[in-house]
Amino acid sequence: MYPEQAPHVPAQRAVEVHQPTPLPPAVAVSAPLVPTQPGSVPAVASIVLPDGRVVTGYAINPAHPEPVTAKPAVSRTAVNVALGGVGFLAVCGGLILLTSFIAALTAFITQLIILAAVIFGGWIAVQLFSASGHQGGTTVNIRKATFKRNHFHS
């Protein structure tokens, strides 16, 4: 399995330690100056690391939110008056709805009463006019005596 059958001793193994190679410091190269408006180019920041390397980059400024404009103070009295007006309008609207509901309910009950009177009156009229139209009646035979409309016939 092993090409060499030589015994290994862990302490005899060679260990290589790699050290990072430091970069030479950055040399400033003079670039031609270009006229720009102030504040349009961010400042360049350089940081020297403990091992001597220099890291150069743009600084990131945190975004600042725009200041909130102060709102004018509203007095408690104005708020209370406005809320009172809204409440008053709600009560008035509710009373109008209640009044119209009561009026509609009254009209419905009145129509039911009139309908019942017409039906009951018609039934009474039919009973009155049908009774006088013919001479029929109830005949009861008791011990061979016949009573017909309160008249005794033997």
Side-chain angles (χ1 to χ4, degrees):
M1 190 160 149
Y2 292 103
E4 297 179 20
Q5 296 296 332
H8 296 1
V9 178
Q12 294 177 354
R13 198 182 307 171
V15 177
E16 293 182 28
V17 177
H18 297 281
Q19 295 290 334
T21 307
L23 297 175
V27 178
V29 178
S30 62
L33 295 176
V34 178
T36 58
Q37 293 182 352
S40 63
V41 176
V44 176
S46 296
I47 298 173
V48 178
L49 298 176
D51 61 356
R53 292 182 291 163
V54 177
V55 177
T56 305
Y58 293 106
I60 299 174
N61 296 328
H64 296 291
E66 295 183 17
V68 177
T69 58
K71 295 182 180 179
V74 179
S75 68
R76 278 188 183 261
T77 306
V79 171
N80 290 339
V81 168
L83 289 176
V86 170
F88 178 74
L89 289 177
V91 168
C92 288
L95 288 176
I96 288 173
L97 288 174
L98 181 64
T99 305
S100 56
F101 174 74
I102 290 172
L105 187 63
T106 304
F108 179 68
I109 291 172
T110 304
Q111 288 178 355
L112 286 179
I113 291 171
I114 292 172
L115 180 65
V118 167
I119 291 173
F120 187 66
W123 182 76
I124 291 175
V126 167
Q127 295 300 320
L128 289 177
F129 292 126
S130 67
S132 64
H134 67 289
Q135 293 296 323
T138 303
T139 303
V140 179
N141 296 321
I142 300 175
R143 293 188 192 166
K144 297 190 179 184
T146 302
F147 293 93
K148 188 171 187 177
R149 284 196 182 239
N150 298 327
H151 298 288
F152 179 70
H153 300 281
S154 54

